[in-house]
Amino acid sequence: MSTTPQGIHSLAFRVMRLCKPSFHVEPPFRLDPSDLFVGEDIFDDPLAASNLSPLLSSHVNKSTDSSDMTFANRFLLHHPSDAMGFSGLLVLPQSFGAIYLGETFCSYISINNSSNFEVKDVIIKAEIQTERERILLLDTSKSPVGTIHAGGHYDFIVEHDVKELGAYTMVCTALYNDGDGERKYLPQFFKFVVANPLSVRTKVRTVKETTYLEACIENHTKSNLYVDQVEFEPAPHWTAKILKLMNSILQITRQLGKEIVKPPILVRSGGGIHNYLYQMKISSPGSEQVKAKRSSILGKLQISWRTNLGEPGRLQTQQILGNPSSCKEIELQVLGIPSLIILDKPFSVHLNLTNHTDSELGPFEVWLSKNSAHEKFVMFNGLQTMALPAVEAFGSTDFHLNVVATKLGVQRISGLIVFDTKEKKTFEPLADVEIFVESD
Amino acid sequence: MDEPSPPTNQFGSLNDVAHELASLEDLASRGSWRSILDKVSRARSLNLLSNPHDHLIYLTYNVLALSKLRRFADASTDLDTLDDFNSHYYKYETYPQLYPNRSGSMLPFSLRFIHAQLPIKLGNRQEGLDRFYSLLNFIRQKIKEKESNNLHDSVKIWKRRENFVLNCLIGHHLGDKEFILCLDLIKDMINRDYLDPLLVSKLGYIQMQIGDIEGAKGSFNHVETMLNEGKNDGYSFLSEVQFKNLVNRNKALVYVVGKDYVSAVREYEECIERDHTDVVAINNKALCLMYLRDLSDSIKVLENALERVPTRALNETLVVNLCSMYELAYVNHSEIKRTLNNWIVHVAPDDFDASCIRV
């Protein structure tokens, strides 16, 4: 990682990324004596079993004893779980690894004097340089390091929250007086690249008064991400509620073992995904409501995760945009339908049209659309288009449609179109209405 | 040529169990695997092994030695010289004059285990896992059989083998980062009453590895409860000192996660005070010192351990950590690593993997 030769310098920087250590795991070849010395079914013979047990157990005890100075612990099992090869031994990071946006970069920096003489008046600096900025991590000019004797070293640990993507350079510099009293300047450069750990895809759907936001988080890193917390921060005037599958059945609490093993949300490395569903509503009524609906900003998603040994990461998405045209300007409600509908006999449907905007809309024309995959068995009786006057801001108007059904059984009034003749805008504000058509 | 003496039921010493078993066992304890290969080769060529069970035990030691020396292909070849493991050639009742009143398989169970693990070490992971899962089924069949025949000692032994194979499987899945599967397997073991503090602690380590810190804390609390409730007779594998150290080490890990390395060091020192051979505490303490910017002391802790308790401290992980520290502390680290290498060559067992020194 270092790109500066240090032939003429007494000092040199040694650097190691200090992310959390990992657990060592490697299932070994370790055995129980009764699986090695004797046949596997010998214990069927009670005489052999009773004679063998003391011999075998004395053997195991010998190797568990802390005064045992043999390497028996490398091939005999002390405990069945030794076979896992997972004793809790920690290992230092063996390579720089990948570093992602939202994580904290931590590094051990050691400056070594490999010469045979003392160096004096040492001043050390460490700085992170990215495309956009330079951040000072360390500057010892106020509290000087002073002298480093021959063969000695001085150590630092620096930390930096990674908030930018792309190429980074950590520049470590030392100013010092060498053995000859000459003032020397040593710069060393360590480069690394910061990548994006996640991508978030969103879908917005509106059903009646409610907006649903579906967010899909995809993991691009090389490790599994334990998703600690995903919080949606709604924009002003919105409220959000997360919709979750009732997972009490998935939480296993055992009274016997008092063990709670909850399945964690672990997003698989290299492309694993997890979905979140939020139900959003306007929290404040009236004109604020309209403003909120017109603006397409729904809010932001805050994601925090953990990797190896709880190494944390945090990211916030950009503002998530909703679908402004999906907000309802016009609402159509069915106020009344006769309980008895007879085949081929016209009937009246009582409807109410409400204008949810802050300006007058209309006048309107209402008709049943003819573009449909199915043949229509419910249609207007008489004029195929109905005219409606304009409706003032936040106002509503009642009207009746004269309708007739031409087939028996369960039928639908579908494809009702409301057309604003002034703005030349089409609304299809009514879901299918089911009716039951009986014979005479 | 001597008449083969029929095997005895009086197992007073290891040599009563198999031909010169005490010598084989001594060599194995010292890690002298190459000498074991020599001894087996000699016994075979001089026809010193008279009984079928001697042949099998010598074969097991041979295959084990080759595996320990990481000569996995050779180990596999030697194993393949055997017939089907369930063949009548390896059953006591096939030789009634040699093993009067004894029946069942004389195959050492280790052969089945090594047979499953070798493909994984040879890079054929799927084959190895399949063999392990088949072995698990085989064991469960055996347990049912022995239970229905009221063979209580055998049932205990085979249940221990079931536990053993489950642990192997968890280890292999862990190595491949299949964490959810590991959690499921451990859950299964806990349900089968294989509830023991070491297992629950390892559950905690896995939870920590994936980042579920709250889950890990819960598991560790459970282990501490087990200690406080004094249920030590159920866990005869652990002495009181070992149990207490386990609890301290678990606490230390929680501090490590919270970056409170000072408290972690304190916990580890308590462990070392109680048991100066607690290598996990020693190794992890050294790492914490490093995270506290004290590279010199972290190196000293590891070097002291190697000097004081080499037969415990000499493990590849500790050496890897020491070498990483050397690489950080010394510009000319090759020299000091060579010194370490020379010392290890004299002290280490044959199976020590010196490639960890990266000279």
PDB file of all heavy atoms in Angstrom, chain A residues 19 35 37 40-41 44 51 59 71 74 92 94 112 155 257 308, chain B residues 9 25 29 57 68 105 110 112 142 154 161 209 222 291 293 329:
ATOM      1  N   CYS A  19      -9.581  -2.702  11.435  1.00  0.00           N
ATOM      2  CA  CYS A  19     -10.993  -2.999  11.645  1.00  0.00           C
ATOM      3  C   CYS A  19     -11.047  -4.065  12.743  1.00  0.00           C
ATOM      4  O   CYS A  19     -10.017  -4.519  13.206  1.00  0.00           O
ATOM      5  CB  CYS A  19     -11.666  -3.466  10.361  1.00  0.00           C
ATOM      6  SG  CYS A  19     -10.721  -4.650   9.421  1.00  0.00           S
ATOM      7  N   ASP A  35     -12.742 -43.359  20.007  1.00  0.00           N
ATOM      8  CA  ASP A  35     -12.978 -43.468  18.571  1.00  0.00           C
ATOM      9  C   ASP A  35     -11.715 -43.870  17.842  1.00  0.00           C
ATOM     10  O   ASP A  35     -11.714 -44.033  16.616  1.00  0.00           O
ATOM     11  CB  ASP A  35     -13.470 -42.117  18.010  1.00  0.00           C
ATOM     12  CG  ASP A  35     -14.842 -41.735  18.532  1.00  0.00           C
ATOM     13  OD1 ASP A  35     -15.552 -42.626  19.053  1.00  0.00           O
ATOM     14  OD2 ASP A  35     -15.199 -40.545  18.432  1.00  0.00           O
ATOM     15  N   PHE A  37      -8.790 -45.907  19.643  1.00  0.00           N
ATOM     16  CA  PHE A  37      -8.086 -47.082  20.138  1.00  0.00           C
ATOM     17  C   PHE A  37      -8.835 -48.379  19.888  1.00  0.00           C
ATOM     18  O   PHE A  37      -8.238 -49.452  19.883  1.00  0.00           O
ATOM     19  CB  PHE A  37      -7.875 -46.991  21.662  1.00  0.00           C
ATOM     20  CG  PHE A  37      -7.064 -45.826  22.133  1.00  0.00           C
ATOM     21  CD1 PHE A  37      -7.115 -45.437  23.452  1.00  0.00           C
ATOM     22  CD2 PHE A  37      -6.254 -45.105  21.274  1.00  0.00           C
ATOM     23  CE1 PHE A  37      -6.366 -44.363  23.924  1.00  0.00           C
ATOM     24  CE2 PHE A  37      -5.503 -44.021  21.729  1.00  0.00           C
ATOM     25  CZ  PHE A  37      -5.567 -43.657  23.067  1.00  0.00           C
ATOM     26  N   GLU A  40     -15.673 -49.447  16.957  1.00  0.00           N
ATOM     27  CA  GLU A  40     -16.789 -48.558  17.296  1.00  0.00           C
ATOM     28  C   GLU A  40     -17.903 -49.251  18.073  1.00  0.00           C
ATOM     29  O   GLU A  40     -18.642 -48.582  18.807  1.00  0.00           O
ATOM     30  CB  GLU A  40     -17.353 -47.900  16.021  1.00  0.00           C
ATOM     31  CG  GLU A  40     -17.813 -48.877  14.962  1.00  0.00           C
ATOM     32  CD  GLU A  40     -18.140 -48.216  13.626  1.00  0.00           C
ATOM     33  OE1 GLU A  40     -18.056 -46.975  13.519  1.00  0.00           O
ATOM     34  OE2 GLU A  40     -18.489 -48.942  12.681  1.00  0.00           O
ATOM     35  N   ASP A  41     -18.026 -50.568  17.924  1.00  0.00           N
ATOM     36  CA  ASP A  41     -19.099 -51.268  18.639  1.00  0.00           C
ATOM     37  C   ASP A  41     -18.612 -52.040  19.858  1.00  0.00           C
ATOM     38  O   ASP A  41     -19.352 -52.845  20.422  1.00  0.00           O
ATOM     39  CB  ASP A  41     -19.811 -52.261  17.698  1.00  0.00           C
ATOM     40  CG  ASP A  41     -20.804 -51.551  16.773  1.00  0.00           C
ATOM     41  OD1 ASP A  41     -21.295 -50.463  17.167  1.00  0.00           O
ATOM     42  OD2 ASP A  41     -21.080 -52.064  15.672  1.00  0.00           O
ATOM     43  N   ASP A  44     -20.651 -52.484  23.060  1.00  0.00           N
ATOM     44  CA  ASP A  44     -21.797 -53.401  23.153  1.00  0.00           C
ATOM     45  C   ASP A  44     -21.486 -54.507  24.149  1.00  0.00           C
ATOM     46  O   ASP A  44     -22.385 -55.095  24.747  1.00  0.00           O
ATOM     47  CB  ASP A  44     -22.074 -54.062  21.791  1.00  0.00           C
ATOM     48  CG  ASP A  44     -22.728 -53.112  20.818  1.00  0.00           C
ATOM     49  OD1 ASP A  44     -23.039 -51.967  21.213  1.00  0.00           O
ATOM     50  OD2 ASP A  44     -22.924 -53.515  19.650  1.00  0.00           O
ATOM     51  N   ASN A  51     -14.224 -52.387  31.513  1.00  0.00           N
ATOM     52  CA  ASN A  51     -12.766 -52.411  31.658  1.00  0.00           C
ATOM     53  C   ASN A  51     -12.087 -51.270  30.920  1.00  0.00           C
ATOM     54  O   ASN A  51     -11.036 -50.783  31.334  1.00  0.00           O
ATOM     55  CB  ASN A  51     -12.217 -53.744  31.149  1.00  0.00           C
ATOM     56  CG  ASN A  51     -12.526 -54.870  32.099  1.00  0.00           C
ATOM     57  OD1 ASN A  51     -12.826 -54.638  33.258  1.00  0.00           O
ATOM     58  ND2 ASN A  51     -12.460 -56.098  31.600  1.00  0.00           N
ATOM     59  N   HIS A  59      -6.880 -41.275  30.264  1.00  0.00           N
ATOM     60  CA  HIS A  59      -6.145 -40.724  29.142  1.00  0.00           C
ATOM     61  C   HIS A  59      -6.593 -39.316  28.801  1.00  0.00           C
ATOM     62  O   HIS A  59      -5.795 -38.427  28.568  1.00  0.00           O
ATOM     63  CB  HIS A  59      -6.355 -41.627  27.918  1.00  0.00           C
ATOM     64  CG  HIS A  59      -5.118 -41.713  27.128  1.00  0.00           C
ATOM     65  ND1 HIS A  59      -4.070 -42.531  27.491  1.00  0.00           N
ATOM     66  CD2 HIS A  59      -4.729 -41.039  26.049  1.00  0.00           C
ATOM     67  CE1 HIS A  59      -3.094 -42.354  26.631  1.00  0.00           C
ATOM     68  NE2 HIS A  59      -3.475 -41.459  25.735  1.00  0.00           N
ATOM     69  N   PHE A  71       1.739 -32.168  23.338  1.00  0.00           N
ATOM     70  CA  PHE A  71       0.872 -31.564  22.328  1.00  0.00           C
ATOM     71  C   PHE A  71      -0.401 -32.382  22.129  1.00  0.00           C
ATOM     72  O   PHE A  71      -1.024 -32.320  21.078  1.00  0.00           O
ATOM     73  CB  PHE A  71       1.627 -31.438  21.000  1.00  0.00           C
ATOM     74  CG  PHE A  71       2.694 -30.377  21.021  1.00  0.00           C
ATOM     75  CD1 PHE A  71       4.030 -30.724  20.980  1.00  0.00           C
ATOM     76  CD2 PHE A  71       2.359 -29.035  21.082  1.00  0.00           C
ATOM     77  CE1 PHE A  71       5.024 -29.748  21.007  1.00  0.00           C
ATOM     78  CE2 PHE A  71       3.337 -28.062  21.111  1.00  0.00           C
ATOM     79  CZ  PHE A  71       4.681 -28.408  21.073  1.00  0.00           C
ATOM     80  N   ARG A  74      -3.549 -31.037  20.691  1.00  0.00           N
ATOM     81  CA  ARG A  74      -3.686 -30.766  19.260  1.00  0.00           C
ATOM     82  C   ARG A  74      -4.370 -31.926  18.525  1.00  0.00           C
ATOM     83  O   ARG A  74      -4.705 -31.793  17.347  1.00  0.00           O
ATOM     84  CB  ARG A  74      -2.311 -30.521  18.620  1.00  0.00           C
ATOM     85  CG  ARG A  74      -1.770 -29.134  18.883  1.00  0.00           C
ATOM     86  CD  ARG A  74      -0.379 -28.983  18.325  1.00  0.00           C
ATOM     87  NE  ARG A  74      -0.342 -28.881  16.870  1.00  0.00           N
ATOM     88  CZ  ARG A  74      -0.424 -27.730  16.195  1.00  0.00           C
ATOM     89  NH1 ARG A  74      -0.567 -26.599  16.835  1.00  0.00           N
ATOM     90  NH2 ARG A  74      -0.366 -27.740  14.876  1.00  0.00           N
ATOM     91  N   LEU A  92      -6.075 -10.973  13.963  1.00  0.00           N
ATOM     92  CA  LEU A  92      -5.981  -9.612  13.426  1.00  0.00           C
ATOM     93  C   LEU A  92      -6.366  -9.617  11.955  1.00  0.00           C
ATOM     94  O   LEU A  92      -6.179 -10.615  11.268  1.00  0.00           O
ATOM     95  CB  LEU A  92      -4.537  -9.117  13.562  1.00  0.00           C
ATOM     96  CG  LEU A  92      -4.092  -8.716  14.962  1.00  0.00           C
ATOM     97  CD1 LEU A  92      -2.592  -8.479  14.974  1.00  0.00           C
ATOM     98  CD2 LEU A  92      -4.822  -7.459  15.412  1.00  0.00           C
ATOM     99  N   GLN A  94      -6.036  -9.684   8.260  1.00  0.00           N
ATOM    100  CA  GLN A  94      -4.863 -10.139   7.528  1.00  0.00           C
ATOM    101  C   GLN A  94      -4.657  -9.411   6.214  1.00  0.00           C
ATOM    102  O   GLN A  94      -3.665  -9.607   5.528  1.00  0.00           O
ATOM    103  CB  GLN A  94      -4.958 -11.657   7.267  1.00  0.00           C
ATOM    104  CG  GLN A  94      -4.790 -12.471   8.540  1.00  0.00           C
ATOM    105  CD  GLN A  94      -3.476 -12.165   9.239  1.00  0.00           C
ATOM    106  OE1 GLN A  94      -2.407 -12.383   8.690  1.00  0.00           O
ATOM    107  NE2 GLN A  94      -3.542 -11.584  10.437  1.00  0.00           N
ATOM    108  N   ASN A 112       8.747   4.210  12.683  1.00  0.00           N
ATOM    109  CA  ASN A 112       9.908   3.478  13.202  1.00  0.00           C
ATOM    110  C   ASN A 112      11.218   4.150  12.829  1.00  0.00           C
ATOM    111  O   ASN A 112      11.385   4.587  11.696  1.00  0.00           O
ATOM    112  CB  ASN A 112       9.945   2.062  12.609  1.00  0.00           C
ATOM    113  CG  ASN A 112       8.728   1.264  12.951  1.00  0.00           C
ATOM    114  OD1 ASN A 112       7.862   1.736  13.671  1.00  0.00           O
ATOM    115  ND2 ASN A 112       8.625   0.070  12.444  1.00  0.00           N
ATOM    116  N   ASP A 155       3.659   5.258  18.158  1.00  0.00           N
ATOM    117  CA  ASP A 155       2.444   4.702  17.555  1.00  0.00           C
ATOM    118  C   ASP A 155       1.237   5.621  17.692  1.00  0.00           C
ATOM    119  O   ASP A 155       1.094   6.333  18.684  1.00  0.00           O
ATOM    120  CB  ASP A 155       2.099   3.373  18.231  1.00  0.00           C
ATOM    121  CG  ASP A 155       3.181   2.328  18.056  1.00  0.00           C
ATOM    122  OD1 ASP A 155       4.038   2.506  17.159  1.00  0.00           O
ATOM    123  OD2 ASP A 155       3.185   1.350  18.804  1.00  0.00           O
ATOM    124  N   GLY A 257     -34.814 -24.364  28.087  1.00  0.00           N
ATOM    125  CA  GLY A 257     -33.440 -23.886  28.020  1.00  0.00           C
ATOM    126  C   GLY A 257     -33.333 -22.399  28.258  1.00  0.00           C
ATOM    127  O   GLY A 257     -32.248 -21.851  28.282  1.00  0.00           O
ATOM    128  N   ASN A 308     -18.842  -7.948  10.904  1.00  0.00           N
ATOM    129  CA  ASN A 308     -18.001  -8.694  11.808  1.00  0.00           C
ATOM    130  C   ASN A 308     -17.784  -8.065  13.190  1.00  0.00           C
ATOM    131  O   ASN A 308     -17.337  -6.935  13.277  1.00  0.00           O
ATOM    132  CB  ASN A 308     -16.640  -8.855  11.114  1.00  0.00           C
ATOM    133  CG  ASN A 308     -15.672  -9.583  11.957  1.00  0.00           C
ATOM    134  OD1 ASN A 308     -15.994 -10.620  12.492  1.00  0.00           O
ATOM    135  ND2 ASN A 308     -14.490  -9.012  12.107  1.00  0.00           N
TER     136      ASN A 308
ATOM    137  N   ASN B   9      -9.757 -59.314  27.561  1.00  0.00           N
ATOM    138  CA  ASN B   9     -10.780 -58.382  28.015  1.00  0.00           C
ATOM    139  C   ASN B   9     -10.287 -57.576  29.196  1.00  0.00           C
ATOM    140  O   ASN B   9     -10.970 -56.755  29.745  1.00  0.00           O
ATOM    141  CB  ASN B   9     -12.045 -59.151  28.439  1.00  0.00           C
ATOM    142  CG  ASN B   9     -13.016 -59.260  27.275  1.00  0.00           C
ATOM    143  OD1 ASN B   9     -12.953 -58.480  26.353  1.00  0.00           O
ATOM    144  ND2 ASN B   9     -13.900 -60.232  27.326  1.00  0.00           N
ATOM    145  N   GLU B  25       0.513 -43.953  20.920  1.00  0.00           N
ATOM    146  CA  GLU B  25      -0.161 -42.876  21.625  1.00  0.00           C
ATOM    147  C   GLU B  25       0.850 -41.837  22.119  1.00  0.00           C
ATOM    148  O   GLU B  25       0.624 -40.626  22.034  1.00  0.00           O
ATOM    149  CB  GLU B  25      -0.951 -43.482  22.790  1.00  0.00           C
ATOM    150  CG  GLU B  25      -1.786 -42.519  23.577  1.00  0.00           C
ATOM    151  CD  GLU B  25      -2.674 -41.648  22.722  1.00  0.00           C
ATOM    152  OE1 GLU B  25      -2.956 -42.009  21.557  1.00  0.00           O
ATOM    153  OE2 GLU B  25      -3.073 -40.573  23.208  1.00  0.00           O
ATOM    154  N   SER B  29       0.952 -37.893  21.099  1.00  0.00           N
ATOM    155  CA  SER B  29       0.909 -36.800  22.077  1.00  0.00           C
ATOM    156  C   SER B  29       2.037 -35.815  21.866  1.00  0.00           C
ATOM    157  O   SER B  29       1.901 -34.641  22.176  1.00  0.00           O
ATOM    158  CB  SER B  29       1.047 -37.320  23.508  1.00  0.00           C
ATOM    159  OG  SER B  29       0.185 -38.374  23.713  1.00  0.00           O
ATOM    160  N   ILE B  57      -6.446 -50.354  13.611  1.00  0.00           N
ATOM    161  CA  ILE B  57      -5.986 -49.252  14.459  1.00  0.00           C
ATOM    162  C   ILE B  57      -4.727 -48.626  13.865  1.00  0.00           C
ATOM    163  O   ILE B  57      -4.577 -47.400  13.849  1.00  0.00           O
ATOM    164  CB  ILE B  57      -5.786 -49.739  15.909  1.00  0.00           C
ATOM    165  CG1 ILE B  57      -7.165 -50.016  16.512  1.00  0.00           C
ATOM    166  CG2 ILE B  57      -5.043 -48.700  16.736  1.00  0.00           C
ATOM    167  CD1 ILE B  57      -7.150 -50.709  17.848  1.00  0.00           C
ATOM    168  N   LYS B  68      -2.735 -35.101   9.471  1.00  0.00           N
ATOM    169  CA  LYS B  68      -2.095 -34.085  10.301  1.00  0.00           C
ATOM    170  C   LYS B  68      -0.956 -33.402   9.553  1.00  0.00           C
ATOM    171  O   LYS B  68      -0.710 -32.216   9.716  1.00  0.00           O
ATOM    172  CB  LYS B  68      -1.521 -34.735  11.580  1.00  0.00           C
ATOM    173  CG  LYS B  68      -2.562 -35.010  12.639  1.00  0.00           C
ATOM    174  CD  LYS B  68      -3.176 -33.728  13.119  1.00  0.00           C
ATOM    175  CE  LYS B  68      -3.834 -33.848  14.459  1.00  0.00           C
ATOM    176  NZ  LYS B  68      -4.435 -32.561  14.847  1.00  0.00           N
ATOM    177  N   SER B 105     -19.041 -53.918  14.957  1.00  0.00           N
ATOM    178  CA  SER B 105     -17.972 -53.406  14.104  1.00  0.00           C
ATOM    179  C   SER B 105     -16.714 -53.090  14.907  1.00  0.00           C
ATOM    180  O   SER B 105     -16.782 -52.460  15.957  1.00  0.00           O
ATOM    181  CB  SER B 105     -18.476 -52.153  13.382  1.00  0.00           C
ATOM    182  OG  SER B 105     -17.398 -51.420  12.861  1.00  0.00           O
ATOM    183  N   SER B 110     -13.159 -43.143  14.181  1.00  0.00           N
ATOM    184  CA  SER B 110     -12.395 -42.041  13.573  1.00  0.00           C
ATOM    185  C   SER B 110     -12.261 -42.183  12.066  1.00  0.00           C
ATOM    186  O   SER B 110     -12.190 -41.188  11.353  1.00  0.00           O
ATOM    187  CB  SER B 110     -10.981 -41.988  14.148  1.00  0.00           C
ATOM    188  OG  SER B 110     -11.048 -41.766  15.520  1.00  0.00           O
ATOM    189  N   ARG B 112     -14.421 -43.203   9.961  1.00  0.00           N
ATOM    190  CA  ARG B 112     -15.607 -42.638   9.307  1.00  0.00           C
ATOM    191  C   ARG B 112     -15.532 -41.105   9.295  1.00  0.00           C
ATOM    192  O   ARG B 112     -15.876 -40.453   8.314  1.00  0.00           O
ATOM    193  CB  ARG B 112     -16.884 -43.096  10.026  1.00  0.00           C
ATOM    194  CG  ARG B 112     -17.138 -44.586   9.952  1.00  0.00           C
ATOM    195  CD  ARG B 112     -18.502 -44.942  10.524  1.00  0.00           C
ATOM    196  NE  ARG B 112     -18.636 -46.369  10.727  1.00  0.00           N
ATOM    197  CZ  ARG B 112     -19.148 -47.216   9.819  1.00  0.00           C
ATOM    198  NH1 ARG B 112     -19.552 -46.772   8.644  1.00  0.00           N
ATOM    199  NH2 ARG B 112     -19.234 -48.497  10.102  1.00  0.00           N
ATOM    200  N   LYS B 142     -27.813 -46.199  14.442  1.00  0.00           N
ATOM    201  CA  LYS B 142     -27.108 -46.988  15.449  1.00  0.00           C
ATOM    202  C   LYS B 142     -27.685 -46.737  16.841  1.00  0.00           C
ATOM    203  O   LYS B 142     -27.847 -47.658  17.632  1.00  0.00           O
ATOM    204  CB  LYS B 142     -25.611 -46.625  15.463  1.00  0.00           C
ATOM    205  CG  LYS B 142     -24.810 -47.253  14.371  1.00  0.00           C
ATOM    206  CD  LYS B 142     -24.383 -48.650  14.744  1.00  0.00           C
ATOM    207  CE  LYS B 142     -23.301 -49.185  13.825  1.00  0.00           C
ATOM    208  NZ  LYS B 142     -22.811 -50.503  14.239  1.00  0.00           N
ATOM    209  N   SER B 154     -23.176 -48.315  25.067  1.00  0.00           N
ATOM    210  CA  SER B 154     -23.047 -48.014  23.640  1.00  0.00           C
ATOM    211  C   SER B 154     -23.874 -46.804  23.240  1.00  0.00           C
ATOM    212  O   SER B 154     -23.421 -45.975  22.458  1.00  0.00           O
ATOM    213  CB  SER B 154     -23.510 -49.219  22.808  1.00  0.00           C
ATOM    214  OG  SER B 154     -22.410 -49.870  22.259  1.00  0.00           O
ATOM    215  N   ARG B 161     -20.964 -39.401  19.747  1.00  0.00           N
ATOM    216  CA  ARG B 161     -20.531 -39.287  18.345  1.00  0.00           C
ATOM    217  C   ARG B 161     -21.489 -38.417  17.535  1.00  0.00           C
ATOM    218  O   ARG B 161     -21.056 -37.670  16.646  1.00  0.00           O
ATOM    219  CB  ARG B 161     -20.409 -40.687  17.720  1.00  0.00           C
ATOM    220  CG  ARG B 161     -19.226 -41.444  18.276  1.00  0.00           C
ATOM    221  CD  ARG B 161     -19.219 -42.915  17.904  1.00  0.00           C
ATOM    222  NE  ARG B 161     -18.042 -43.552  18.505  1.00  0.00           N
ATOM    223  CZ  ARG B 161     -17.911 -44.861  18.679  1.00  0.00           C
ATOM    224  NH1 ARG B 161     -18.876 -45.676  18.285  1.00  0.00           N
ATOM    225  NH2 ARG B 161     -16.827 -45.350  19.240  1.00  0.00           N
ATOM    226  N   GLN B 209     -20.286 -12.640  15.468  1.00  0.00           N
ATOM    227  CA  GLN B 209     -19.634 -12.618  14.158  1.00  0.00           C
ATOM    228  C   GLN B 209     -20.552 -11.980  13.129  1.00  0.00           C
ATOM    229  O   GLN B 209     -20.108 -11.225  12.283  1.00  0.00           O
ATOM    230  CB  GLN B 209     -19.293 -14.054  13.741  1.00  0.00           C
ATOM    231  CG  GLN B 209     -18.638 -14.171  12.386  1.00  0.00           C
ATOM    232  CD  GLN B 209     -17.139 -14.195  12.506  1.00  0.00           C
ATOM    233  OE1 GLN B 209     -16.553 -15.063  13.147  1.00  0.00           O
ATOM    234  NE2 GLN B 209     -16.485 -13.229  11.889  1.00  0.00           N
ATOM    235  N   HIS B 222     -26.949 -16.252  29.574  1.00  0.00           N
ATOM    236  CA  HIS B 222     -27.428 -17.602  29.849  1.00  0.00           C
ATOM    237  C   HIS B 222     -26.304 -18.474  30.396  1.00  0.00           C
ATOM    238  O   HIS B 222     -26.487 -19.231  31.352  1.00  0.00           O
ATOM    239  CB  HIS B 222     -27.989 -18.186  28.561  1.00  0.00           C
ATOM    240  CG  HIS B 222     -28.734 -19.451  28.779  1.00  0.00           C
ATOM    241  ND1 HIS B 222     -29.498 -19.686  29.890  1.00  0.00           N
ATOM    242  CD2 HIS B 222     -28.827 -20.564  28.028  1.00  0.00           C
ATOM    243  CE1 HIS B 222     -30.024 -20.878  29.812  1.00  0.00           C
ATOM    244  NE2 HIS B 222     -29.639 -21.448  28.706  1.00  0.00           N
ATOM    245  N   TYR B 291      -5.003  -2.787  20.132  1.00  0.00           N
ATOM    246  CA  TYR B 291      -6.058  -1.819  19.856  1.00  0.00           C
ATOM    247  C   TYR B 291      -5.987  -0.639  20.828  1.00  0.00           C
ATOM    248  O   TYR B 291      -6.619   0.386  20.610  1.00  0.00           O
ATOM    249  CB  TYR B 291      -7.442  -2.489  19.883  1.00  0.00           C
ATOM    250  CG  TYR B 291      -7.743  -3.291  18.630  1.00  0.00           C
ATOM    251  CD1 TYR B 291      -7.134  -4.518  18.398  1.00  0.00           C
ATOM    252  CD2 TYR B 291      -8.617  -2.814  17.660  1.00  0.00           C
ATOM    253  CE1 TYR B 291      -7.382  -5.238  17.245  1.00  0.00           C
ATOM    254  CE2 TYR B 291      -8.881  -3.530  16.506  1.00  0.00           C
ATOM    255  CZ  TYR B 291      -8.251  -4.747  16.301  1.00  0.00           C
ATOM    256  OH  TYR B 291      -8.501  -5.473  15.147  1.00  0.00           O
ATOM    257  N   ARG B 293      -3.159   0.746  21.302  1.00  0.00           N
ATOM    258  CA  ARG B 293      -1.982   1.444  20.790  1.00  0.00           C
ATOM    259  C   ARG B 293      -0.688   0.946  21.458  1.00  0.00           C
ATOM    260  O   ARG B 293       0.357   1.567  21.334  1.00  0.00           O
ATOM    261  CB  ARG B 293      -2.133   2.958  21.007  1.00  0.00           C
ATOM    262  CG  ARG B 293      -1.373   3.820  20.053  1.00  0.00           C
ATOM    263  CD  ARG B 293      -1.804   5.286  20.168  1.00  0.00           C
ATOM    264  NE  ARG B 293      -1.745   5.799  21.511  1.00  0.00           N
ATOM    265  CZ  ARG B 293      -0.714   6.435  22.032  1.00  0.00           C
ATOM    266  NH1 ARG B 293       0.385   6.589  21.319  1.00  0.00           N
ATOM    267  NH2 ARG B 293      -0.786   6.911  23.249  1.00  0.00           N
ATOM    268  N   ALA B 329       5.571  -3.536  13.594  1.00  0.00           N
ATOM    269  CA  ALA B 329       6.526  -2.917  14.506  1.00  0.00           C
ATOM    270  C   ALA B 329       7.912  -2.727  13.895  1.00  0.00           C
ATOM    271  O   ALA B 329       8.665  -1.847  14.315  1.00  0.00           O
ATOM    272  CB  ALA B 329       6.636  -3.747  15.767  1.00  0.00           C
TER     273      ALA B 329
END
